[in-house]
Amino acid sequence: MSDINVRKEHTLGLAKARKVAMKWAEHAEAKLDLECTMLEGETSDTLEFKRSGVTGQMIVAGDHFEITAKLGFLFKAFAGQFEAETRKQLDEAVAKAEAKAKKA
């Protein structure tokens, strides 16, 4: 069982969802010191991330994102905060991307 589980539905399609995921990865690498690797597929991608004490993945599909992560012992006490912040950042990124897509 994962310590963090976040699912976010969207209407972006896979190409735009990939862009959102790549921005999320850039932020995670810069601010959270996570090492991110994107594995592209035909119908969905998997963005794997890790650092000392954290391993996880983001499934990037044409209609949703799904983030799961396992936290090491030192981070488990903050699982709720990490999940809330992850959900907030993903909600904001999707809202921004969907608003931009509607304008185009």
Side-chain angles (χ1 to χ4, degrees):
M1 182 158 105
S2 295
D3 298 307
I4 294 176
N5 294 293
V6 175
R7 183 178 172 97
K8 176 67 179 172
E9 304 293 326
H10 63 77
T11 59
L12 298 172
L14 185 55
K16 290 179 183 163
R18 280 182 176 140
K19 290 179 183 180
V20 170
M22 291 306 293
K23 284 186 181 185
W24 184 91
E26 289 171 7
H27 172 79
E29 288 176 333
K31 301 292 182 184
L32 304 174
D33 200 29
L34 291 173
E35 180 184 321
C36 299
T37 305
M38 180 70 91
L39 307 169
E40 290 188 9
E42 287 186 38
T43 59
S44 67
D45 299 342
T46 302
L47 175 68
E48 296 177 341
F49 53 90
K50 64 181 177 178
R51 68 164 278 172
S52 179
V54 178
T55 59
Q57 67 179 14
M58 173 193 286
I59 302 299
V60 182
D63 62 351
H64 73 277
F65 294 98
E66 188 166 350
I67 299 173
T68 57
K70 282 294 274 176
L71 304 176
F73 178 74
L74 295 175
F75 291 107
K76 283 196 185 282
F78 302 102
Q81 292 171 311
F82 290 148
E83 185 167 335
E85 185 61 25
T86 300
R87 187 176 307 281
K88 177 184 168 197
Q89 288 178 359
L90 193 55
D91 285 347
E92 289 172 359
V94 168
K96 184 177 178 180
E98 287 181 334
K100 186 177 179 182
K102 286 180 183 178
K103 287 183 181 180

